[in-house]
């Protein structure tokens, strides 16, 4: 959110750098009534026009971002949304719902919940590839205990410890 504010502010860098002709055109354009007559009130200051344009660009940017975000409605993601904060989440059921790939979606969801994907600008495709490599490493030797299900279970437990103790608050 802060980077979006900074980006919006830098789009129109400085009111003082704007040529006088542009200022006059903007003031004339935005102070006319429908039939071309000027209003009896004093025209708005150039600075308030710039602020209105900035606000408009900011709102446009936010609405474009939220409308383009894909929504995962898979049963596995729905289970995470509903049960991730529960101590008794069924890791075996989640493993079945993810076709024995429980670590991938879970790790990404935990990072998103703590705001780490956004904070560190993690590329989601790279994150997916990383999680696939970790998961494949877990399953490489066919160990019946130290496998991707165990990794997912440890991650869920760690998440619940952090979130229930307030360690991640703030």
């Amino acid at each position: 959110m802060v980077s979006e504010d900074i980006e919006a502010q830098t789009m129109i860098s400085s009111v003082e750098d704007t040529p006088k002709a542009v200022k006059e055109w903007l003031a004339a354009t935005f102070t006319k009534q429908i039939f071309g007559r000027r209003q009896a009130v004093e025209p708005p200051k150039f600075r308030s026009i710039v602020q209105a344009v900035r606000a408009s660009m900011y709102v446009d940017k936010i609405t474009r971002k939220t409308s383009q975000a894909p929504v995962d409605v898979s049963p596995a993601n729905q289970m995470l949304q509903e049960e991730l904060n529960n101590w008794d989440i069924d890791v075996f059921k989640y493993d079945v719902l993810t076709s024995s790939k429980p670590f991938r979606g879970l790790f990404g969801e935990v990072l998103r919940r703590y705001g780490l994907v956004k904070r560190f600008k993690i590329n989601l495709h790279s994150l997916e590839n990383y999680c696939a490599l970790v998961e494949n490493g877990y399953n490489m030797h066919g160990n019946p205990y130290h496998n991707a299900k165990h990794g997912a279970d440890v991650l869920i437990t760690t998440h619940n410890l952090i979130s229930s103790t307030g360690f991640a608050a703030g």
Side-chain angles (χ1 to χ4, degrees):
M1 185 88 134
V2 172
S3 64
E4 291 171 355
D5 292 339
I6 292 169
E7 186 176 307
Q9 290 174 359
T10 57
M11 286 181 175
I12 300 178
S13 60
S14 174
V15 173
E16 288 75 28
D17 294 340
T18 307
K20 184 177 180 183
V22 174
K23 289 181 187 179
E24 289 173 356
W25 177 83
L26 282 170
T29 301
F30 291 105
T31 58
K32 289 182 182 177
Q33 288 185 344
I34 296 173
F35 299 107
R37 292 180 291 148
R38 292 197 179 267
Q39 298 175 356
V41 296
E42 182 178 321
K45 302 285 186 216
F46 182 72
R47 188 172 298 268
S48 64
I49 294 170
V50 170
Q51 289 171 342
V53 170
R54 281 184 185 159
S56 171
M57 291 185 316
Y58 181 72
V59 168
D60 182 55
K61 187 174 183 179
I62 289 173
T63 55
R64 270 190 276 124
K65 268 189 178 177
T66 56
S67 65
Q68 292 174 352
V71 177
D72 183 1
V73 291
S74 67
N77 190 55
Q78 186 175 0
M79 182 180 178
L80 277 185
Q81 298 304 316
E82 294 171 1
E83 299 181 35
L84 182 58
N85 291 338
N86 297 337
W87 285 97
D88 58 351
I89 185 172
D90 187 349
V91 177
F92 296 99
K93 178 181 174 185
Y94 184 69
D95 182 60
V96 170
L97 290 174
T98 60
S99 304
S100 298
K101 298 175 182 169
F103 195 78
R104 297 175 195 202
L106 178 62
F107 190 69
E109 179 61 25
V110 169
L111 290 181
R112 276 187 221 92
R113 289 213 182 176
Y114 292 108
L116 299 176
V117 170
K118 192 173 186 177
R119 181 175 183 186
F120 295 110
K121 299 177 182 160
I122 298 172
N123 179 291
L124 294 179
H125 182 69
S126 297
L127 178 62
E128 175 76 21
N129 289 338
Y130 172 76
C131 289
L133 289 171
V134 169
E135 200 164 58
N136 291 339
Y138 264 120
N139 295 327
M140 186 180 297
H141 302 290
N143 189 320
Y145 181 71
H146 288 108
N147 54 31
K149 276 186 281 233
H150 177 254
D153 190 41
V154 169
L155 181 57
I156 290 169
T157 302
T158 304
H159 160 70
N160 282 316
L161 278 171
I162 291 170
S163 65
S164 67
T165 59
F167 184 71

